[in-house]
Amino acid sequence: MIVSRWVAPVASVVILFGTIGVAQATGGWVTTGRTGPGVNTTAATQSITGRMTLRQVADANHVDLAKLIVACGLPADVDVDALLKDLVESDRYPGFEVQTVRDAVASLK
Amino acid sequence: MSRPTLTRAQQRKRSMSRLTWARRGSQFFFAAFVLWAAVRHQLENESGTAASVDALCPFGAVETFITWITTGTFITKIHGSNLILGLALLIATLLVGNAFCGWICPFGALQDALTWVRNKLGLKARHLPPAWDAGLRWGRYVVLGVILYFSVTTATLWFADYDPYVTLFGLHWLFEWSDALWVGLGITAVVLAASVVIDRFWCRYLCPLGAVFAVLGHLSLLRIKRVEATCTDCTLCDRPCPVGITVSKANPWSTPTASGAWTAWPPARSRAR
Ligand code: SF4
């Protein structure tokens, strides 16, 4: 069977937008893990990455920065504007991982 | 004054040209959309409601798939949208083949733009010897394997720090600079420089999503078939493909992966099954 050369691209774009449309209509189109309607805490904390700082994590998840520091087991003088990955790599905070922050945020919610 | 009658080759070229312009328009639209989404995400960083470039990438579905199947959770930065996009591309590719790379992918569009600039400057593309070219194309599968391994073992979007697409279109380099970006920017610079010399360098040799498409393309209902008995060897079908798939040499099936091959399709006297 010979089909028009427009079929593949047009069908691909239609399928792409159609699938997104169906997902949006059924509530399956979730693009952020941060807190909001229908987003659970586990998903929200999953969006915490090493590229974020403690201050950003606290702001994005609406938790108190001082409480977050305590929950993470970090000293009060920790640099809250340092990237988490830099804190992880620092010798000053043995055992500290990005996952520590995720767990701390989950416990504070 | 009557218009001159076009030969079949001229008609075919004209029709290809129309499709090429449509393809360029589509590429521009999706690239612009992703950039708009990235700017929105960066500017709305505090409220956190705007989708990131990571959340709008179908490859995220591949990266999280094993973790999702085995644990029911996603790796970091991956959301339902990634799975939806992955599913859409899976359906589309199985039904009509891979049009994503030629019509939608912003990073493919960027590489095509570099090729356009190079051509405008009158510079010639470099072509690796066929044996090298064929061997290096396996690099896509190696990259895919490494990414899957680290995505599963670290449960993070491990590749994001090295991914030229995310590095460039995510706009972190513009809005939230950090020294951690240097690695990704270095890789991106090398890939883009190579893409100036070799058409779609990243797509040909390194893209992990291209590897997935290469496999899925073989399962597609719609594929290009060259009918040897009637093929005129005009090679018009080879021209639009930036990754150098020689449809004219298909024996008899050709899979238009990562290509604009659909622009040329159907080639002279070709059929789809
Ligand atoms: S091979 Fe990869 S980078 Fe190239 S167009 Fe396809 S998905 Fe995009």
Side-chain angles (χ1 to χ4, degrees), chain B residues 101 107-108 111 115 118 125-130 132-141 191 194-195 197-208 210-211 214 238-246 257-259:
Chain B
C101 292
F107 202 67
Q111 292 171 88
T115 298
R118 188 202 60 220
R126 289 293 177 110
H127 299 285
L128 295 180
W132 277 77
D133 180 67
L136 286 175
R137 283 179 196 253
W138 287 97
R140 295 173 299 170
Y141 299 99
V191 165
S195 298
V197 182
I198 297 175
D199 291 355
R200 287 229 188 180
F201 174 83
W202 173 258
C203 302
R204 281 177 194 239
Y205 304 126
L206 295 170
C207 180
D238 293 341
R239 291 190 202 172
C241 183
V243 294
I245 292 172
T246 46
T257 57
S259 72

Short mmCIF file of all heavy atoms in Angstrom, two decimals, chain B residues 101 107-108 111 115 118 125-130 132-141 191 194-195 197-208 210-211 214 238-246 257-259:
data_model
loop_
_atom_site.label_atom_id
_atom_site.label_comp_id
_atom_site.label_asym_id
_atom_site.label_seq_id
_atom_site.Cartn_x
_atom_site.Cartn_y
_atom_site.Cartn_z
N CYS B 101 11.90 12.57 15.26
CA CYS B 101 13.24 13.13 15.07
C CYS B 101 13.27 14.20 13.98
O CYS B 101 14.03 15.16 14.07
CB CYS B 101 14.23 12.02 14.75
SG CYS B 101 14.50 10.92 16.13
N PHE B 107 16.27 19.32 19.70
CA PHE B 107 17.72 19.19 19.54
C PHE B 107 18.08 18.77 18.11
O PHE B 107 19.11 19.19 17.57
CB PHE B 107 18.31 18.21 20.55
CG PHE B 107 19.77 18.43 20.79
CD1 PHE B 107 20.20 19.58 21.41
CD2 PHE B 107 20.71 17.52 20.36
CE1 PHE B 107 21.55 19.82 21.60
CE2 PHE B 107 22.07 17.74 20.55
CZ PHE B 107 22.50 18.89 21.18
N GLY B 108 17.20 17.98 17.50
CA GLY B 108 17.38 17.66 16.09
C GLY B 108 17.25 18.93 15.26
O GLY B 108 18.01 19.16 14.31
N GLN B 111 20.38 21.00 15.44
CA GLN B 111 21.45 20.47 14.59
C GLN B 111 21.18 20.76 13.11
O GLN B 111 22.09 21.07 12.34
CB GLN B 111 21.60 18.97 14.82
CG GLN B 111 22.15 18.63 16.20
CD GLN B 111 22.08 17.14 16.47
OE1 GLN B 111 23.00 16.40 16.14
NE2 GLN B 111 20.98 16.70 17.04
N THR B 115 23.45 22.87 10.39
CA THR B 115 23.74 22.42 9.02
C THR B 115 23.37 23.52 8.02
O THR B 115 24.12 23.79 7.07
CB THR B 115 22.93 21.14 8.70
OG1 THR B 115 23.34 20.13 9.60
CG2 THR B 115 23.16 20.68 7.27
N ARG B 118 25.94 26.24 8.12
CA ARG B 118 27.17 25.79 7.45
C ARG B 118 27.02 25.84 5.94
O ARG B 118 27.90 26.31 5.22
CB ARG B 118 27.50 24.36 7.90
CG ARG B 118 28.87 23.89 7.40
CD ARG B 118 28.96 22.38 7.38
NE ARG B 118 27.96 21.80 6.52
CZ ARG B 118 27.28 20.70 6.81
NH1 ARG B 118 27.50 20.06 7.93
NH2 ARG B 118 26.38 20.23 5.96
N ALA B 125 30.06 19.45 4.35
CA ALA B 125 29.94 18.48 5.44
C ALA B 125 31.04 17.44 5.31
O ALA B 125 31.52 17.17 4.20
CB ALA B 125 28.58 17.80 5.39
N ARG B 126 31.45 16.90 6.44
CA ARG B 126 32.40 15.79 6.42
C ARG B 126 31.63 14.48 6.54
O ARG B 126 30.63 14.41 7.24
CB ARG B 126 33.36 15.89 7.61
CG ARG B 126 34.36 17.02 7.50
CD ARG B 126 35.31 16.74 6.35
NE ARG B 126 36.25 17.84 6.18
CZ ARG B 126 37.54 17.75 6.45
NH1 ARG B 126 38.02 16.63 6.94
NH2 ARG B 126 38.32 18.78 6.25
N HIS B 127 32.10 13.47 5.85
CA HIS B 127 31.47 12.15 5.96
C HIS B 127 32.53 11.16 6.39
O HIS B 127 33.60 11.08 5.78
CB HIS B 127 30.88 11.73 4.62
CG HIS B 127 29.82 12.68 4.13
ND1 HIS B 127 28.56 12.72 4.67
CD2 HIS B 127 29.86 13.65 3.18
CE1 HIS B 127 27.85 13.67 4.07
NE2 HIS B 127 28.63 14.26 3.16
N LEU B 128 32.22 10.41 7.43
CA LEU B 128 33.17 9.39 7.88
C LEU B 128 33.13 8.23 6.90
O LEU B 128 32.11 8.00 6.23
CB LEU B 128 32.79 8.91 9.28
CG LEU B 128 32.89 9.94 10.40
CD1 LEU B 128 32.48 9.32 11.73
CD2 LEU B 128 34.31 10.50 10.50
N PRO B 129 34.20 7.46 6.83
CA PRO B 129 34.17 6.25 6.00
C PRO B 129 33.02 5.36 6.46
O PRO B 129 32.73 5.30 7.66
CB PRO B 129 35.53 5.59 6.28
CG PRO B 129 36.39 6.70 6.81
CD PRO B 129 35.48 7.65 7.49
N PRO B 130 32.35 4.68 5.53
CA PRO B 130 31.16 3.89 5.87
C PRO B 130 31.36 2.93 7.05
O PRO B 130 30.48 2.78 7.89
CB PRO B 130 30.87 3.12 4.58
CG PRO B 130 31.41 3.99 3.51
CD PRO B 130 32.62 4.66 4.09
N TRP B 132 33.45 3.21 9.58
CA TRP B 132 33.50 4.01 10.81
C TRP B 132 32.10 4.46 11.19
O TRP B 132 31.70 4.41 12.35
CB TRP B 132 34.39 5.24 10.61
CG TRP B 132 35.84 4.96 10.78
CD1 TRP B 132 36.65 4.34 9.88
CD2 TRP B 132 36.63 5.26 11.91
NE1 TRP B 132 37.91 4.25 10.38
CE2 TRP B 132 37.93 4.82 11.63
CE3 TRP B 132 36.37 5.90 13.13
CZ2 TRP B 132 38.97 4.96 12.53
CZ3 TRP B 132 37.41 6.05 14.03
CH2 TRP B 132 38.69 5.58 13.72
N ASP B 133 31.40 4.95 10.16
CA ASP B 133 30.05 5.46 10.39
C ASP B 133 29.16 4.36 11.00
O ASP B 133 28.49 4.59 12.01
CB ASP B 133 29.47 5.95 9.06
CG ASP B 133 28.08 6.49 9.20
OD1 ASP B 133 27.92 7.55 9.83
OD2 ASP B 133 27.13 5.85 8.71
N ALA B 134 29.22 3.20 10.38
CA ALA B 134 28.37 2.09 10.87
C ALA B 134 28.77 1.69 12.28
O ALA B 134 27.92 1.43 13.13
CB ALA B 134 28.49 0.90 9.91
N GLY B 135 30.07 1.65 12.53
CA GLY B 135 30.54 1.25 13.87
C GLY B 135 30.15 2.26 14.93
O GLY B 135 29.67 1.89 16.02
N LEU B 136 30.34 3.53 14.61
CA LEU B 136 30.06 4.57 15.61
C LEU B 136 28.58 4.70 15.93
O LEU B 136 28.21 5.17 17.00
CB LEU B 136 30.61 5.92 15.12
CG LEU B 136 32.13 6.05 15.18
CD1 LEU B 136 32.57 7.37 14.55
CD2 LEU B 136 32.63 5.98 16.62
N ARG B 137 27.72 4.28 15.01
CA ARG B 137 26.28 4.35 15.30
C ARG B 137 25.90 3.46 16.49
O ARG B 137 24.86 3.67 17.11
CB ARG B 137 25.47 3.97 14.06
CG ARG B 137 25.43 5.10 13.04
CD ARG B 137 24.65 4.71 11.80
NE ARG B 137 24.94 5.63 10.71
CZ ARG B 137 24.09 6.56 10.27
NH1 ARG B 137 22.91 6.69 10.82
NH2 ARG B 137 24.43 7.36 9.28
N TRP B 138 26.72 2.46 16.79
CA TRP B 138 26.46 1.64 17.97
C TRP B 138 26.64 2.45 19.25
O TRP B 138 26.20 2.03 20.33
CB TRP B 138 27.38 0.42 17.98
CG TRP B 138 26.97 -0.59 16.97
CD1 TRP B 138 27.49 -0.75 15.73
CD2 TRP B 138 25.92 -1.56 17.08
NE1 TRP B 138 26.84 -1.75 15.05
CE2 TRP B 138 25.88 -2.28 15.87
CE3 TRP B 138 25.02 -1.90 18.09
CZ2 TRP B 138 24.96 -3.30 15.64
CZ3 TRP B 138 24.12 -2.93 17.87
CH2 TRP B 138 24.10 -3.60 16.65
N GLY B 139 27.31 3.59 19.14
CA GLY B 139 27.51 4.45 20.30
C GLY B 139 26.20 4.82 20.98
O GLY B 139 26.12 4.98 22.19
N ARG B 140 25.13 4.95 20.20
CA ARG B 140 23.82 5.30 20.76
C ARG B 140 23.36 4.24 21.76
O ARG B 140 22.79 4.56 22.80
CB ARG B 140 22.78 5.40 19.64
CG ARG B 140 23.05 6.51 18.66
CD ARG B 140 22.09 6.45 17.48
NE ARG B 140 22.23 5.21 16.74
CZ ARG B 140 21.41 4.79 15.79
NH1 ARG B 140 20.36 5.51 15.49
NH2 ARG B 140 21.63 3.66 15.14
N TYR B 141 23.64 2.99 21.43
CA TYR B 141 23.19 1.91 22.32
C TYR B 141 24.06 1.88 23.58
O TYR B 141 23.59 1.55 24.67
CB TYR B 141 23.25 0.56 21.60
CG TYR B 141 22.34 0.53 20.39
CD1 TYR B 141 22.85 0.75 19.11
CD2 TYR B 141 20.97 0.34 20.54
CE1 TYR B 141 22.02 0.75 18.01
CE2 TYR B 141 20.13 0.33 19.44
CZ TYR B 141 20.66 0.54 18.17
OH TYR B 141 19.83 0.56 17.09
N VAL B 191 29.56 18.55 21.17
CA VAL B 191 28.53 17.95 20.31
C VAL B 191 28.10 18.94 19.22
O VAL B 191 27.99 18.58 18.04
CB VAL B 191 27.31 17.52 21.16
CG1 VAL B 191 26.10 17.25 20.28
CG2 VAL B 191 27.66 16.29 21.98
N ALA B 194 30.82 19.38 16.65
CA ALA B 194 30.87 18.21 15.77
C ALA B 194 29.69 18.20 14.81
O ALA B 194 29.81 17.74 13.66
CB ALA B 194 30.88 16.93 16.61
N SER B 195 28.54 18.73 15.27
CA SER B 195 27.35 18.75 14.42
C SER B 195 27.47 19.75 13.27
O SER B 195 26.76 19.64 12.28
CB SER B 195 26.10 19.09 15.24
OG SER B 195 25.91 18.11 16.23
N VAL B 197 30.26 20.04 11.64
CA VAL B 197 31.11 19.34 10.67
C VAL B 197 30.38 18.13 10.08
O VAL B 197 30.42 17.88 8.88
CB VAL B 197 32.42 18.88 11.36
CG1 VAL B 197 33.32 18.19 10.37
CG2 VAL B 197 33.11 20.07 12.00
N ILE B 198 29.73 17.36 10.95
CA ILE B 198 29.01 16.15 10.52
C ILE B 198 27.52 16.36 10.79
O ILE B 198 27.14 16.61 11.94
CB ILE B 198 29.52 14.91 11.28
CG1 ILE B 198 30.99 14.67 10.97
CG2 ILE B 198 28.68 13.68 10.95
CD1 ILE B 198 31.62 13.55 11.76
N ASP B 199 26.71 16.27 9.76
CA ASP B 199 25.26 16.50 9.94
C ASP B 199 24.71 15.63 11.05
O ASP B 199 24.89 14.41 11.07
CB ASP B 199 24.51 16.16 8.64
CG ASP B 199 24.83 17.15 7.53
OD1 ASP B 199 25.53 18.13 7.80
OD2 ASP B 199 24.37 16.91 6.40
N ARG B 200 23.99 16.28 11.96
CA ARG B 200 23.32 15.59 13.07
C ARG B 200 24.25 14.58 13.78
O ARG B 200 23.90 13.40 13.97
CB ARG B 200 22.08 14.87 12.57
CG ARG B 200 20.95 15.83 12.24
CD ARG B 200 19.69 15.37 12.89
NE ARG B 200 18.53 16.14 12.47
CZ ARG B 200 17.30 15.92 12.91
NH1 ARG B 200 17.08 14.94 13.75
NH2 ARG B 200 16.31 16.66 12.53
N PHE B 201 25.40 15.06 14.16
CA PHE B 201 26.40 14.21 14.82
C PHE B 201 25.81 13.48 16.03
O PHE B 201 25.99 12.28 16.22
CB PHE B 201 27.59 15.07 15.25
CG PHE B 201 28.61 14.34 16.07
CD1 PHE B 201 29.58 13.58 15.44
CD2 PHE B 201 28.59 14.39 17.45
CE1 PHE B 201 30.53 12.89 16.19
CE2 PHE B 201 29.52 13.71 18.20
CZ PHE B 201 30.50 12.95 17.57
N TRP B 202 25.09 14.24 16.87
CA TRP B 202 24.52 13.65 18.09
C TRP B 202 23.51 12.55 17.74
O TRP B 202 23.53 11.47 18.33
CB TRP B 202 23.87 14.75 18.93
CG TRP B 202 23.12 14.25 20.12
CD1 TRP B 202 21.77 14.11 20.24
CD2 TRP B 202 23.67 13.82 21.37
NE1 TRP B 202 21.45 13.62 21.49
CE2 TRP B 202 22.60 13.44 22.20
CE3 TRP B 202 24.98 13.72 21.86
CZ2 TRP B 202 22.78 12.96 23.50
CZ3 TRP B 202 25.15 13.25 23.16
CH2 TRP B 202 24.07 12.87 23.96
N CYS B 203 22.63 12.84 16.78
CA CYS B 203 21.60 11.86 16.40
C CYS B 203 22.24 10.59 15.84
O CYS B 203 21.82 9.49 16.14
CB CYS B 203 20.68 12.45 15.34
SG CYS B 203 19.85 13.95 15.84
N ARG B 204 23.26 10.77 15.02
CA ARG B 204 23.88 9.62 14.36
C ARG B 204 24.57 8.69 15.35
O ARG B 204 24.45 7.46 15.26
CB ARG B 204 24.97 10.08 13.40
CG ARG B 204 24.49 10.60 12.10
CD ARG B 204 25.68 11.09 11.29
NE ARG B 204 25.22 11.89 10.19
CZ ARG B 204 25.47 11.61 8.92
NH1 ARG B 204 26.16 10.55 8.59
NH2 ARG B 204 25.01 12.39 7.97
N TYR B 205 25.33 9.27 16.27
CA TYR B 205 26.27 8.45 17.01
C TYR B 205 26.02 8.35 18.51
O TYR B 205 26.56 7.45 19.17
CB TYR B 205 27.70 8.97 16.79
CG TYR B 205 28.08 9.04 15.34
CD1 TYR B 205 28.56 10.22 14.77
CD2 TYR B 205 27.94 7.93 14.51
CE1 TYR B 205 28.89 10.29 13.43
CE2 TYR B 205 28.27 7.99 13.17
CZ TYR B 205 28.74 9.16 12.64
OH TYR B 205 29.06 9.22 11.30
N LEU B 206 25.25 9.27 19.08
CA LEU B 206 25.19 9.29 20.54
C LEU B 206 23.79 9.31 21.15
O LEU B 206 23.64 8.95 22.32
CB LEU B 206 25.99 10.51 21.06
CG LEU B 206 27.49 10.47 20.78
CD1 LEU B 206 28.10 11.82 21.11
CD2 LEU B 206 28.17 9.38 21.58
N CYS B 207 22.79 9.73 20.41
CA CYS B 207 21.50 9.98 21.07
C CYS B 207 20.85 8.68 21.57
O CYS B 207 20.54 7.78 20.78
CB CYS B 207 20.54 10.69 20.13
SG CYS B 207 18.95 10.99 20.94
N PRO B 208 20.61 8.58 22.87
CA PRO B 208 20.00 7.37 23.42
C PRO B 208 18.54 7.20 23.00
O PRO B 208 18.08 6.07 22.82
CB PRO B 208 20.10 7.58 24.93
CG PRO B 208 20.21 9.06 25.12
CD PRO B 208 20.91 9.58 23.90
N GLY B 210 17.44 8.15 20.13
CA GLY B 210 17.59 7.66 18.75
C GLY B 210 17.77 6.15 18.72
O GLY B 210 17.26 5.46 17.83
N ALA B 211 18.48 5.62 19.73
CA ALA B 211 18.68 4.17 19.81
C ALA B 211 17.34 3.47 20.03
O ALA B 211 17.06 2.43 19.42
CB ALA B 211 19.64 3.84 20.95
N ALA B 214 15.48 3.53 16.85
CA ALA B 214 16.06 2.61 15.87
C ALA B 214 15.50 1.20 16.06
O ALA B 214 15.23 0.49 15.09
CB ALA B 214 17.58 2.61 15.99
N ASP B 238 17.28 9.99 -0.93
CA ASP B 238 18.38 10.06 0.04
C ASP B 238 18.61 11.48 0.56
O ASP B 238 19.08 11.68 1.66
CB ASP B 238 19.70 9.60 -0.60
CG ASP B 238 19.67 8.12 -0.94
OD1 ASP B 238 18.81 7.41 -0.38
OD2 ASP B 238 20.50 7.70 -1.77
N ARG B 239 18.26 12.45 -0.27
CA ARG B 239 18.69 13.83 0.01
C ARG B 239 18.20 14.43 1.32
O ARG B 239 18.96 15.11 2.00
CB ARG B 239 18.31 14.74 -1.15
CG ARG B 239 19.12 14.41 -2.38
CD ARG B 239 18.90 15.46 -3.44
NE ARG B 239 19.22 14.91 -4.75
CZ ARG B 239 18.99 15.54 -5.87
NH1 ARG B 239 18.42 16.72 -5.86
NH2 ARG B 239 19.32 14.98 -7.01
N PRO B 240 16.91 14.24 1.67
CA PRO B 240 16.46 14.96 2.86
C PRO B 240 16.97 14.38 4.17
O PRO B 240 16.83 15.02 5.21
CB PRO B 240 14.93 14.82 2.82
CG PRO B 240 14.61 14.22 1.51
CD PRO B 240 15.83 13.50 1.07
N CYS B 241 17.54 13.18 4.16
CA CYS B 241 17.88 12.55 5.43
C CYS B 241 19.19 13.09 5.98
O CYS B 241 20.26 12.82 5.43
CB CYS B 241 17.97 11.05 5.29
SG CYS B 241 18.32 10.29 6.89
N PRO B 242 19.14 13.84 7.09
CA PRO B 242 20.36 14.43 7.63
C PRO B 242 21.28 13.43 8.29
O PRO B 242 22.44 13.74 8.54
CB PRO B 242 19.83 15.45 8.65
CG PRO B 242 18.48 14.93 9.03
CD PRO B 242 17.95 14.20 7.85
N VAL B 243 20.77 12.24 8.60
CA VAL B 243 21.66 11.27 9.22
C VAL B 243 22.17 10.24 8.21
O VAL B 243 22.71 9.22 8.57
CB VAL B 243 21.00 10.55 10.43
CG1 VAL B 243 20.74 11.52 11.54
CG2 VAL B 243 19.74 9.83 10.02
N GLY B 244 21.97 10.55 6.94
CA GLY B 244 22.62 9.77 5.90
C GLY B 244 22.06 8.39 5.66
O GLY B 244 22.79 7.50 5.24
N ILE B 245 20.75 8.18 5.93
CA ILE B 245 20.17 6.89 5.61
C ILE B 245 19.95 6.84 4.11
O ILE B 245 19.28 7.71 3.54
CB ILE B 245 18.84 6.68 6.37
CG1 ILE B 245 19.12 6.56 7.86
CG2 ILE B 245 18.10 5.44 5.86
CD1 ILE B 245 17.89 6.54 8.72
N THR B 246 20.52 5.84 3.48
CA THR B 246 20.43 5.75 2.01
C THR B 246 19.22 4.88 1.65
O THR B 246 19.35 3.68 1.45
CB THR B 246 21.72 5.17 1.42
OG1 THR B 246 22.08 4.02 2.20
CG2 THR B 246 22.83 6.18 1.43
N THR B 257 14.84 6.34 10.73
CA THR B 257 15.10 6.75 12.10
C THR B 257 15.86 8.06 12.10
O THR B 257 16.74 8.27 11.28
CB THR B 257 15.97 5.72 12.83
OG1 THR B 257 17.16 5.54 12.10
CG2 THR B 257 15.24 4.42 12.97
N ALA B 258 15.51 8.90 13.04
CA ALA B 258 16.21 10.17 13.24
C ALA B 258 16.38 10.94 11.95
O ALA B 258 17.40 11.55 11.72
CB ALA B 258 17.59 9.91 13.87
N SER B 259 15.41 10.88 11.11
CA SER B 259 15.68 11.43 9.79
C SER B 259 14.54 12.25 9.24
O SER B 259 13.45 12.29 9.77
CB SER B 259 15.96 10.29 8.82
OG SER B 259 14.75 9.61 8.56
#
